[in-house]
Amino acid sequence: MKIVLATNNEGKVKEILAFLDGLNIELISQAQFNVPPIAETGLSFVENALMKARHAAQYSQLPALADDSGLVVDALQGAPGIFSARFAGPTATSVDNIHKLLSQMQNIEKSQRTAHFYCALVFVRHAKDPAPIICQAKWDGEILSEQQGNQGFGYDPIFYVPTHHCSAAELTLAQKNTLSHRAKALAQFKEQFQHEYIR
């Protein structure tokens, strides 16, 4: 089965390809179909993931897998949340977003710096699929006061992983793919997909 990945984020593509390696599917980035950007107007990660999956399926005429994920910081009432990718503005880079987050948290004590990454993963068989597969997971951690590590992407350099005593950007891809929010959601998807489609 060919499945279009509803993302242009190369970091996400790399993680998802690595995780789903071994399934009898061919994953194709939506970039190959020139899928135009869609306004993410949902109020939750699930709504946005569903919109992206249907959009990619419509343009590619293939089943689509979409992920909407972000960082949820307790001291900031859940921000940046669904606005994680554009926290510092519509054309913000990861560096811009990190700087904004660190500046907003500079006076917050260590004990109050709890956060989690959240992932909603949606698979649709076609653009109007009434029964999509929806998987959700989170990854608990804390926000560091400065960046550490150069692996991963997004907020990884400031996301402290208590179980491993390092930032997410100091983990190898193999380690991250056993711990992360996306890995947990992908594990759920893999199980459901194999149950429904692979005999």
Side-chain angles (χ1 to χ4, degrees), residues 71-74 113-117 139-143 159:
L71 181 64
V72 178
V73 180
D74 297 319
R113 298 176 76 91
T114 53
H116 64 267
F117 274 123
W139 186 17
D140 292 317
E142 300 165 14
I143 302 301
F159 185 78

Side-chain angles (χ1 to χ4, degrees), residues 32-124:
Q32 293 189 30
F33 296 95
N34 297 314
V35 176
I38 183 173
E40 296 178 29
T41 56
L43 298 178
S44 68
F45 292 108
V46 171
E47 288 175 276
N48 283 337
L50 191 52
M51 288 168 63
K52 289 191 279 190
R54 293 196 191 286
H55 184 66
Q58 183 178 350
Y59 273 86
S60 66
Q61 295 299 301
L62 289 173
L65 181 65
D67 136 289
D68 197 55
S69 51
L71 181 64
V72 178
V73 180
D74 297 319
L76 301 180
Q77 288 74 53
I82 58 172
F83 304 106
S84 291
R86 51 197 185 278
F87 188 45
T91 59
T93 64
S94 293
V95 173
D96 297 332
N97 290 330
I98 286 172
H99 285 164
K100 180 175 180 179
L101 186 63
L102 289 179
S103 71
Q104 289 196 0
M105 296 195 67
Q106 60 186 351
N107 297 319
I108 296 174
E109 296 177 19
K110 187 180 186 303
S111 62
Q112 303 298 313
R113 298 176 76 91
T114 53
H116 64 267
F117 274 123
Y118 188 90
C119 176
L121 194 72
V122 171
F123 173 76
V124 294

Side-chain angles (χ1 to χ4, degrees), residues 145-156:
S145 56
E146 59 184 32
Q147 297 185 57
Q148 293 177 195
N150 54 18
Q151 302 297 312
F153 61 96
Y155 295 92
D156 285 356

